[in-house]
Amino acid sequence: MIDKISLQNLLPRVFRGMEDFDKIRCSEIWLKDSVSLERGCRICISAESGSGKSSLLSFIYGNRVDYDGTLRFNDRNIKEYTINDWCAIRTKSIALLPQELRLFPELTVMENIQIKNRLTNHKTETEILEYLDRLGIAEKRNVLAGKLSIGQQQRVALVRSICQPFDFIFLDEPVSHLDERNNRIVADIICEDASKNEAGIVATSVGHHLMLPNAKFIAL
């Protein structure tokens, strides 16, 4: 179980030499002595395009290691983790909804979701269909993902992202193509699922933020 994620003097290597630029100097995350994300948190990270928000989530998820500084889960440096460690973390402790969604366009909505759910056995088909119905895309269950709008794809990827247990869920611009109504539905679903295990929620945006109640806003 991951109770705390700690960031110490973190900086993407591509930003090295830019320490005096406003986007680094004014950041509440980059090059800070200690930034902690606690289990149960509700955080919205706001940033301009190109500030490194997707990079930050990739660092935390272990997809990239091109950063200076230290990232710890509880008290352990994540660069010490093995491939097997990361497999366990990504199926039991940390969920991710990437900005690019990573759906398979040649597969249907349900096939995309079940690819993950069959690995975790975390949700029943009835639960998945209920999520799709709340999100207004239940009738799309057998439609190829590549034939959906971007907003519909975002909702499919959201459902897939919660088909696992997690201590933290990270969402990269999860509602950039959704209207206010669907934004609220997405926020409700995420909060409900996170509350079952007192999990933390961290969502990024470039202005159109996920409408999390009582969220703390952090400028990247």
Side-chain angles (χ1 to χ4, degrees), residues 109-161:
V109 166
M110 283 298 290
E111 287 170 341
N112 268 283
I113 295 169
Q114 289 291 10
I115 280 178
K116 182 172 188 178
N117 197 55
R118 288 193 187 101
L119 294 174
T120 63
N121 293 313
H122 190 61
K123 301 290 184 183
T124 66
E125 184 170 341
T126 298
E127 288 175 313
I128 292 170
L129 289 173
E130 287 175 352
Y131 288 134
L132 295 178
D133 185 56
R134 289 174 67 181
L135 291 163
I137 52 173
E139 76 283 358
K140 303 290 186 182
R141 59 177 294 188
N142 294 318
V143 174
L144 298 180
K147 294 185 178 297
L148 302 180
S149 70
I150 297 299
Q152 290 169 335
Q153 290 180 19
Q154 282 187 316
R155 283 171 273 174
V156 174
L158 165 76
V159 176
R160 184 190 58 190
S161 72

Side-chain angles (χ1 to χ4, degrees), residues 45 47-58 61 63-64 95-103 149-158 160-161 169-178 202-208 220:
I45 297 177
E48 296 179 358
S49 180
S51 296
K53 55 182 177 49
S54 296
S55 296
L56 173 64
L57 301 196
S58 291
Y61 200 62
N63 284 338
R64 289 173 51 186
L96 174 69
L97 174 55
Q99 183 180 348
E100 64 273 22
L101 305 179
R102 297 177 191 165
L103 296 177
S149 70
I150 297 299
Q152 290 169 335
Q153 290 180 19
Q154 282 187 316
R155 283 171 273 174
V156 174
L158 165 76
R160 184 190 58 190
S161 72
I169 184 166
F170 293 88
L171 308 107
D172 195 4
E173 295 192 47
V175 293
S176 58
H177 288 78
L178 300 185
V202 181
T204 72
S205 75
V206 291
H208 189 46
L220 182 60

Side-chain angles (χ1 to χ4, degrees), residues 2 5 54-67 71 73 77-83 85-87 89-90 94-96 102 170:
I2 299 174
I5 298 175
S54 296
S55 296
L56 173 64
L57 301 196
S58 291
F59 298 156
I60 293 173
Y61 200 62
N63 284 338
R64 289 173 51 186
V65 295
D66 53 325
Y67 62 85
L71 261 167
F73 294 164
N77 190 321
I78 69 170
K79 288 187 175 180
E80 298 174 1
Y81 286 120
T82 65
I83 292 174
D85 290 332
W86 279 114
C87 288
I89 287 168
R90 292 169 183 162
I94 294 182
L96 174 69
R102 297 177 191 165
F170 293 88

